[in-house]
């Protein structure tokens, strides 16, 4: 990975401006703690997304502090000191001196000094900007620093009089991706698409779900991705109707569909990709009917992704196409408007069509217009899409046995999910390399 200091510096500068615009203060953002799996074994380390967004610094035990106090603008890193013995066991550490230059900070200190330094920054600062409740153990540390400043009251020093949620500022920024983020997300999407192609090629009746999962993981790592962005779903047959199914040991049977919802994380950015295909390489008639319907709903939803449209518009489009199709298939009765109004379609489509995507698979960002007045239902209007926003488009149908379900349609579960960037003129489907037209899927599986 290349460290592009300028992007991280520019983001810190924007946050400093936002703090200054709110009267100035001190912002604190720690990275994520390491998490024990059992005894002394840790889960693979994953940085905190907010911290990484501001720093690009990959090590645990680090905190970034931003000072916007009068004319003073500084960004300061606290990180682990160099430590010969620990580096023999755990690996390289930058240490403050080197980290300051490489990551473009004004100053850097050993993390051991933070209890001493932080109260000095907070003394007489008008406000603290901090995302309380995000890392509870760190909240206690922040309270201690505030307590240390309050204890000095009689010396004439004041603690910050206001607490602002730093994440409100960062969420707005993270919602609109910059060029560096878009470039990373394009590469991540391409790797995820190639992993799906690999799994599709490896699919044969008699294989197990975990074998396809292994193909996905192989391709993620082979292409330099960190690993999966979320727990991979490889769902054979009826397992596709369990929304949060994980890749298990079920056999992939001739005549069934397989649903794969799996994608990689690359340089801190997630992809989210779902494809559904026939295990034998040929869709049956009923499978094809359901698949074509979901694909048409997805096309209608993707078409609604453009600047100025509401976040809700793609979902509305998908629901309308799906509901009409469910009526045509005989699964629902009555009119389209009636089945939408009553929510009858939710028997087969019970999740939403989109979520924001970025550093986190369900990414930061308000889905409603921030600060907008509520309507007569007490709701703020949905967010207007703007260039640089990235969202998934992922309609599906999950047909569990029920009195209104004919037997040939039972247990069919289909979802088709792509990652879509809003562009100035419309949209770009980042995951376009993963085939989804039935003919293309069948041809690939034959080949
Ligand atoms: N893979 C998680 C999701 O589709 O939202
Ligand atoms: Mn998704
Ligand atoms: Mn997904």
């Amino acid at each position: 990975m290349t460290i592009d200091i300028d992007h991280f510096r520019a983001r810190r500068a924007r946050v400093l401006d936002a703090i200054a615009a709110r009267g100035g203060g001190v912002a604190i953002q720690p990275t994520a703690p390491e998490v024990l799996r059992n005894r002394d074994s840790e889960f693979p380390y994953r940085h905190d997304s907010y911290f990484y967004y501001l720093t690009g610094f990959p090590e645990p035990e680090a905190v970034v502090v931003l000072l916007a106090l009068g004319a003073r603008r500084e960004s300061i890193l606290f990180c682990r000191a160099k430590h010969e013995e620990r580096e023999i066991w755990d690996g390289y550490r930058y240490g403050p001196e080197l980290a300051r230059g490489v990551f473009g900070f004004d100053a850097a200190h050993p993390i051991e000094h933070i209890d001493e330094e932080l109260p000095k920054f907070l003394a007489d600062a008008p406000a603290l900007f901090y995302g309380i409740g995000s890392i509870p153990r760190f909240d206690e540390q922040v309270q201690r620093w505030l307590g240390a400043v309050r204890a000095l009251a009689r010396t004439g020093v004041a603690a910050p009089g206001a607490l602002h949620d730093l994440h409100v500022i960062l969420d707005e920024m993270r919602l609109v991706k910059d060029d560096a983020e878009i470039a990373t997300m394009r590469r991540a999407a391409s790797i995820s698409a190639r992993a799906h192609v690999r799994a599709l090629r490896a699919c044969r009746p008699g294989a197990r779900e975990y074998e396809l999962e292994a193909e996905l993981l192989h391709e993620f790592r082979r292409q330099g991705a960190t690993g999966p962005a979320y727990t991979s779903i490889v769902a054979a047959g009826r397992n596709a109707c369990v929304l949060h199914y994980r890749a298990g040991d079920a056999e992939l049977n001739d005549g069934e569909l397989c649903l794969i919802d799996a994608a990689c994380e690359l340089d801190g950015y997630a992809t989210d990709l779902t494809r559904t295909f026939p295990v034998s390489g040929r869709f049956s008639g009923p499978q094809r009917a359901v698949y074509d319907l979901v694909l048409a709903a997805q096309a209608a939803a993707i078409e609604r992704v453009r600047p100025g449209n509401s976040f809700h518009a793609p979902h509305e489009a998908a629901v309308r196409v799906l509901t009409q199709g469910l009526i045509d298939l005989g699964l629902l009765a009555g009119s389209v408007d009636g089945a939408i109004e009553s929510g009858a379609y939710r028997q087969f489509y019970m999740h939403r069509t989109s979520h924001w995507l970025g550093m986190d698979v369900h990414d930061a960002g308000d889905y409603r217009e921030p600060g907008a007045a509520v309507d007569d239902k007490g709701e703020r209007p949905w967010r207007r899409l703007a260039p640089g926003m990235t969202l998934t488009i992922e309609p599906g149908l999950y047909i569990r046995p029920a009195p209104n379900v004919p037997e040939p349609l039972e247990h069919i579960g289909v979802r088709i999910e792509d990652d879509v960037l809003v562009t100035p003129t419309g949209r770009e489907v980042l995951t376009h390399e993963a085939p989804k037209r039935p003919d293309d899927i069948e041809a690939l599986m034959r080949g």
Side-chain angles (χ1 to χ4, degrees), residues 57 59 79-82 92-100 108:
F57 190 69
E59 293 178 19
C79 67
R80 298 189 301 196
K82 296 293 286 177
Y92 179 78
R93 301 173 170 193
Y94 279 94
E97 219 169 292
L98 192 61
R100 191 190 67 73

Side-chain angles (χ1 to χ4, degrees), residues 220-349:
F220 295 161
R221 289 299 283 152
R222 203 174 77 83
Q223 304 281 350
T226 325
Y230 52 91
T231 309
S232 304
I233 297 173
V234 180
R238 66 181 61 190
N239 293 338
C241 294
V242 179
L243 295 179
H244 290 165
Y245 186 79
R246 310 297 190 207
D249 60 4
E251 195 169 305
L252 300 159
N253 293 318
D254 202 351
E256 287 179 349
L257 294 175
C258 177
L259 181 154
I260 294 182
D261 183 349
C264 73
E265 177 174 304
L266 176 75
D267 291 350
Y269 285 82
T271 328
D272 189 4
L273 178 55
T274 308
R275 290 291 182 262
T276 310
F277 52 92
V279 170
S280 67
R282 291 280 302 175
F283 286 95
S284 72
Q287 288 167 353
R288 176 75 191 248
V290 176
Y291 188 92
D292 284 344
L293 176 50
V294 176
L295 191 60
Q298 203 215 21
I302 289 175
E303 223 278 311
R304 300 287 285 276
V305 177
R306 70 171 74 107
N309 269 7
S310 114
F311 170 81
H312 192 52
H315 181 63
E316 279 180 325
V319 165
R320 186 153 287 277
V321 172
L322 290 174
T323 305
Q324 178 66 62
L326 288 166
I327 292 168
D328 296 344
L329 286 171
L331 288 165
L332 292 180
S335 70
V336 174
D337 287 334
I340 292 174
E341 180 69 25
S342 70
Y345 69 88
R346 291 203 188 100
Q347 181 185 351
F348 306 106
Y349 183 43

